[in-house]
Amino acid sequence: MAALPLSLVVLTAGVLIKAYDTSSASGSSRLPRAEIPAQAQFIDQKAFNVLPTVLPPSQSNATTFFIPPGYDSASLTEKPFHIYDEEFYDVIGTNPTLTLLANAGTNPLFHEATTWYPPTDEMFFVQNAGAPAAGTGLNKSAIILKIALSEAAAVSSQRNATGLVNVQTVDSSPLVVNPNGGTNYRGQIVFAAEGQGDNVPSELILMNPREPYNTTVLVNNYFGRQFSSLNDVAVNPRNKDLYFTDTLYGYLQDFRPAPGLRNQVYRYNDVTGAVTAVADDFTLPNGLTFSPDGLYAYVTDTGANQGFWGWNQSNPSSIYRYNVQEDGTWDNRKLFAYVDSGVPDGVHCDSKGNVYAGCGDGIQVWNPSGKLIGKIYLGEGSANFNFAGDGRMVICAEQNLYYVTLAASGGGYIEA
Ligand SMILES: *[C@@H]1O[C@H](CO)[C@@H](O)[C@H](O)[C@H]1NC(C)=O
Ligand SMILES: *[C@@H]1O[C@H](CO)[C@@H](O)[C@H](O)[C@H]1NC(C)=O
Ligand SMILES: *[C@@H]1O[C@H](CO)[C@@H](O)[C@H](O)[C@H]1NC(C)=O
Ligand SMILES: *[C@@H]1O[C@H](CO)[C@@H](O)[C@H](O)[C@H]1NC(C)=O
Ligand SMILES: *[C@@H]1O[C@H](CO)[C@@H](O)[C@H](O)[C@H]1NC(C)=O
């Protein structure tokens, strides 16, 4: 990506000219525009470089919300589109909206595998497997759900539209046991399913997104050995292979055995059946996506969040980026971002290569150089979310489900 950050606005002979400058520290990028969208606000990072009191880790840490001086949690959620850099104006446009579509009480129904199915214009997603309030784990599988995006669009002018959109259960058959990640694949949806106990292995499973929601297992082992708990899956836009993460959350949430394999990223070629490891050296690899041109791979490492074992703040809350070579192998791993709130879980790119991740306080957005340009602030965590083509996004935030309208478009729907 050769895109340079837009960071200077030069006034020449009364005409506003946008100049490009590689320096992200230019003064003008701190300044709010006169016309800030109604649901947006500018957050001046310079204003909190020096705080009157800086609390110790026992009080200010990955699980707490940072409230900059002059704000409170109500004012941060009142205008949820937080502009950290001018480049975010192009992402949100002139009138972004955030709508609460559904609230599930204490049940974490809105978790991950947020996948748009264009032929019916529906968004699919899954319940959190293993969370105590879900009653899943070893007892029963997490369920698959969906909404019609036309119903969400109809209420997008409201901030709170709970009860106005029908959240439907999808009865996959045979059952996808504890689905977690998902994406479009071969005109259908492929799920990374975590499995259950010793006897239901973790699998990649293809599901027909229309009734009767029939399923076919693509992969259920690595040379006869069980995966630990597959977490996320993505298609590389160039070679159309499936890449997927294997990690420990099934074990750390007490519904899968101790690991028999290393935590890593694999690649699956549907023609030859080859399953190969492409990246390791993670604590807990999690979300996975590619840039729209397929040249970069992004993997989140949520090692700081150890499930039922609690938090270890010195572990990664990080996004790593790799170059994807012509032959589909990865190299040049680099630290792309370390998030300030919670862990970065689900990750997706927009059509311009900006990177979005579900974090402890909502969706955070970086430009391709890893500069934080803005947040869609929820005041609660999001494990996953996704674009539905142009200008629309659905955010899963466990008990809450949100709909967003904005200027950005999704990174592409791949007809693999
Ligand atoms: C993080 O801060 C919160 C709130 O102050 C506190 O309850 C929690 O124990 C802290 N976590 C750690 C690991 O210190
Ligand atoms: C599973 O069922 C057992 C026995 O009824 C119960 O003790 C346990 O809390 C349940 N687990 C979850 C995650 O609901
Ligand atoms: C949204 O509206 C519902 C129904 O009126 C209400 O019960 C709920 O408290 C509201 N939620 C928020 C976050 O305002
Ligand atoms: C579902 O069944 C149809 C009709 O038999 C078949 O064409 C399709 O491949 C099946 N899809 C999956 C994912 O099993
Ligand atoms: C946290 O993780 C680090 C690095 O993985 C490890 O050295 C340390 O022992 C862990 N701390 C705790 C309290 O588990």
Side-chain angles (χ1 to χ4, degrees), residues 26-45:
S26 87
S28 64
S29 70
R30 301 203 311 268
L31 297 177
R33 280 188 188 169
E35 63 312 342
I36 292 182
Q39 286 200 34
Q41 57 184 312
F42 192 85
I43 307 286
D44 183 3
Q45 296 176 84

Side-chain angles (χ1 to χ4, degrees), residues 3-8 19-30 42 45 82-89 91 298 319 321 334-340 353-357 364-375:
L4 299 174
L6 173 64
S7 56
L8 276 179
Y20 291 85
D21 175 26
T22 48
S23 155
S24 62
S26 87
S28 64
S29 70
R30 301 203 311 268
F42 192 85
Q45 296 176 84
H82 293 181
I83 301 158
Y84 280 79
D85 188 279
E86 278 217 330
E87 288 178 48
F88 201 50
Y89 286 109
V91 167
Y298 294 94
I319 305 175
R321 185 170 85 189
K334 79 168 183 182
L335 177 64
F336 177 78
Y338 175 75
V339 309
D340 68 290
N354 295 311
V355 180
Y356 300 57
Q364 302 197 6
V365 186
W366 299 266
N367 79 354
S369 303
K371 176 169 64 176
L372 178 71
I373 59 172
K375 296 184 178 184

Side-chain angles (χ1 to χ4, degrees), residues 130-140 253 308:
T136 52
L138 279 170
N139 294 4
K140 63 184 177 64
Q253 293 179 306
F308 293 175

